[in-house]
Amino acid sequence: MSHCSGYSDPSSFAEDGPEVLDEEGTQEDLEYKLKGFIDLTLDKSAKIRQAALEGIKNALASKMLYEFVLERRMTLTDSIERCLKKGKSDEQRAAAALASVLCIQLGPGIESEEVLKTLGPILKKIICDGTASIQARQTCATCFGVCSFIATDDITELYSTLECLENIFTKSYLKEKNTNVCSTPNTVLHISSLLSWTLLLTICPINEVKKKLEMHFHKLPSLLSSDDVNMRIAAGESLALLFELARGMDSDFFYEDMESLTQILRALATDGNKHRAKVDKRKQRSVFRDILRAVEERDFPTETVKFGPERMYIDCWVKKHTYDTFKEVLGSGMQYHLQSNEFLRNVFELGPPVMLDAAMLKTMKISRFERHLYNSAAFKARTKARSKCRDKRADVGEFF
């Protein structure tokens, strides 16, 4: 059993963005700074708007602020819409990332449905716009998948989103047999579209899942020959999840090309290709060993995720893919949201949030001041030790 653990301090923000609140800060401090960031999303400077979007996103990824967000939902949605429409690549990426976290904060319901209703058409337009930045289209594809997973209430809209994403990643499918899929600048967009499509497939009705399996089961394996390691892994994990869904609907499910597929998977699980980077080969072999076991033996290597005093067992591909998607969006804030976010706790069947008393919180958290004191003491001790080693006279002086 593999283990991944960590506890995200609810007052410290994600690694990749401006920090909004000190650990000793109060809720009022946080809300005051967030109001300032919301105002700055209207600034004339694109860099300032982008930093403001990132600041809000990092705050919402690291702390539950449902009431604050609910009151300002329309303002935040307007800001995101404006930045998606008028901004350039980096600003659009920041806006899309914020939209994902906004829907995670709101959870399913009328509010998030209205956010998706406003932003969905814009996200779709950017994803399909060949002249837009690839990085912006990639982030919008992830955002579209996450927001649709949370907020889609209309089944026809869900099918429309699936079709939009399909139209993107199927461009990587092989047109001819016995050739390799060459990566292009669009490959990162195709990967994000495939992963979002796979996520949405997990909430589709059985009839729709059957249709999609028939359409893609024999084409998806062609992506395993891509020269991009991330595409190979995304395709492999999506295949494992499709097998899991198919067998969940029919325990006697039979795949016609099983022998050919297992040969490809086994080759990837033992890949020794000298032309590939060692890091890529290690990463690929580890993942494809698990995928091969899933396809051949219907087995899944259970993972344990620890957060605070709780733990969650990831025991199937659907759960793993859902966890990985939200982890990508929330970063280090995932641990905190697993503890406090009712929507995510419902998704992973964790029950109501566990109430922690002050003593428990103290054992889980070390303040910035305490950390500073500890680091200072350690620094002084190291400095003293070095001084003694370098200057024998110091030892003689202490002896007398």
Side-chain angles (χ1 to χ4, degrees):
M1 213 183 258
S2 60
H3 294 266
C4 46
S5 64
Y7 173 72
S8 175
D9 187 327
S11 306
S12 61
F13 296 129
E15 313 83 31
D16 51 355
E19 188 173 293
V20 182
L21 179 69
D22 289 341
E23 289 178 11
E24 301 302 318
T26 64
Q27 182 79 8
E28 289 75 17
D29 293 334
L30 172 57
E31 292 187 2
Y32 176 77
K33 291 181 180 180
L34 282 176
K35 287 173 188 173
F37 279 148
I38 291 171
D39 291 340
L40 288 174
T41 61
L42 300 171
D43 198 90
K44 290 182 180 179
S45 164
K47 285 187 177 180
I48 291 176
R49 291 196 304 272
Q50 180 189 334
L53 292 166
E54 289 172 352
I56 301 166
K57 180 259 179 183
N58 291 334
L60 301 187
S62 305
K63 193 175 179 67
M64 277 305 297
L65 295 162
Y66 178 77
E67 296 298 333
F68 179 88
V69 167
L70 192 62
E71 288 176 15
R72 295 162 182 81
R73 172 182 56 82
M74 293 181 70
T75 305
L76 285 166
T77 306
D78 288 346
S79 295
I80 294 168
E81 180 183 12
R82 191 181 305 107
C83 294
L84 283 173
K85 282 182 174 178
K86 298 183 178 180
K88 301 296 183 186
S89 175
D90 289 341
E91 187 178 345
Q92 287 177 318
R93 292 179 70 190
L98 174 56
S100 297
V101 181
L102 176 61
C103 281
I104 292 172
Q105 283 271 346
L106 292 170
I110 295 172
E111 292 80 13
S112 56
E113 287 169 23
E114 289 180 356
V115 171
L116 182 59
K117 199 173 289 184
T118 301
L119 302 180
I122 305 165
L123 292 169
K124 188 181 288 189
K125 185 178 178 182
I126 295 171
I127 293 167
C128 300
D129 182 0
T131 63
S133 145
I134 289 295
Q135 290 74 22
R137 294 172 72 193
Q138 177 192 6
T139 308
C140 286
T142 299
C143 170
F144 201 22
V146 168
C147 293
S148 298
F149 180 87
I150 297 168
T152 300
D153 187 46
D154 183 348
I155 199 71
T156 56
E157 284 298 318
L158 177 60
Y159 295 163
S160 172
T161 304
L162 284 168
E163 188 178 348
C164 167
L165 296 168
E166 275 175 342
N167 290 338
I168 299 297
F169 75 79
T170 53
K171 290 175 183 174
S172 279
Y173 281 169
L174 282 180
K175 302 297 184 286
E176 300 174 15
K177 288 189 175 181
N178 303 319
T179 56
N180 290 332
V181 177
C182 296
S183 62
T184 68
N186 288 338
T187 298
V188 290
L189 167 64
H190 296 177
I191 292 169
S192 294
S193 299
L194 172 60
L195 294 175
S196 287
W197 176 84
T198 306
L199 176 71
L200 294 180
L201 200 61
T202 65
I203 60 170
C204 281
I206 290 176
N207 289 339
E208 186 66 17
V209 174
K210 286 180 179 176
K211 284 181 191 174
K212 297 302 181 186
L213 292 181
E214 289 173 8
M215 286 173 60
H216 297 279
F217 238 144
H218 298 285
K219 296 178 182 179
L220 198 53
S222 69
L223 300 182
L224 298 173
S225 64
S226 170
D227 58 9
D228 185 292
V229 66
N230 293 316
M231 175 58 93
R232 294 195 297 273
I233 289 173
E237 292 187 335
S238 294
L239 271 170
L241 190 145
L242 293 188
F243 267 95
E244 187 173 274
L245 292 176
R247 287 163 175 167
M249 293 183 292
D250 178 5
S251 59
D252 297 323
F253 171 76
F254 176 74
Y255 183 68
E256 293 175 0
D257 299 327
M258 180 64 89
E259 188 176 344
S260 169
L261 178 60
T262 51
Q263 283 179 356
I264 296 170
L265 295 176
R266 193 171 288 109
L268 290 167
T270 57
D271 190 4
N273 193 323
K274 291 181 180 179
H275 301 292
R276 286 175 181 159
K278 284 184 179 179
V279 175
D280 286 353
K281 284 189 287 188
R282 263 199 307 271
K283 180 181 178 184
Q284 174 185 291
R285 286 197 293 257
S286 173
V287 172
F288 275 94
R289 281 195 293 268
D290 293 340
I291 293 169
L292 182 62
R293 282 171 60 189
V295 172
E296 275 193 321
E297 305 168 26
R298 306 186 179 211
D299 191 20
F300 182 87
T302 303
E303 297 177 18
T304 305
V305 178
K306 297 178 182 176
F307 47 99
E310 298 178 84
R311 64 183 59 198
M312 174 177 75
Y313 297 105
I314 297 178
D315 53 8
C316 64
W317 286 98
V318 169
K319 207 169 189 179
K320 173 179 165 50
H321 186 65
T322 307
Y323 175 82
D324 289 346
T325 302
F326 283 98
K327 178 75 166 62
E328 181 188 346
V329 173
L330 293 169
S332 59
M334 181 67 176
Q335 311 300 327
Y336 178 75
H337 276 266
L338 283 174
Q339 283 185 282
S340 309
N341 188 312
E342 288 189 14
F343 157 67
L344 279 185
R345 292 184 70 86
N346 286 335
V347 168
F348 294 109
E349 301 175 331
L350 296 170
V354 176
M355 299 302 293
L356 302 177
D357 57 27
M360 176 65 76
L361 284 171
K362 193 166 185 180
T363 61
M364 292 161 54
K365 175 181 172 180
I366 177 171
S367 72
R368 178 168 295 179
F369 179 66
E370 288 173 311
R371 199 160 55 235
H372 173 71
L373 290 179
Y374 176 81
N375 290 338
S376 296
F379 176 76
K380 286 176 184 176
R382 286 196 301 271
T383 304
K384 191 172 182 181
R386 286 196 198 103
S387 297
K388 285 187 177 182
C389 290
R390 289 174 184 166
D391 191 352
K392 292 181 181 178
R393 288 175 296 180
D395 288 335
V396 175
E398 285 188 9
F399 179 79
F400 291 107

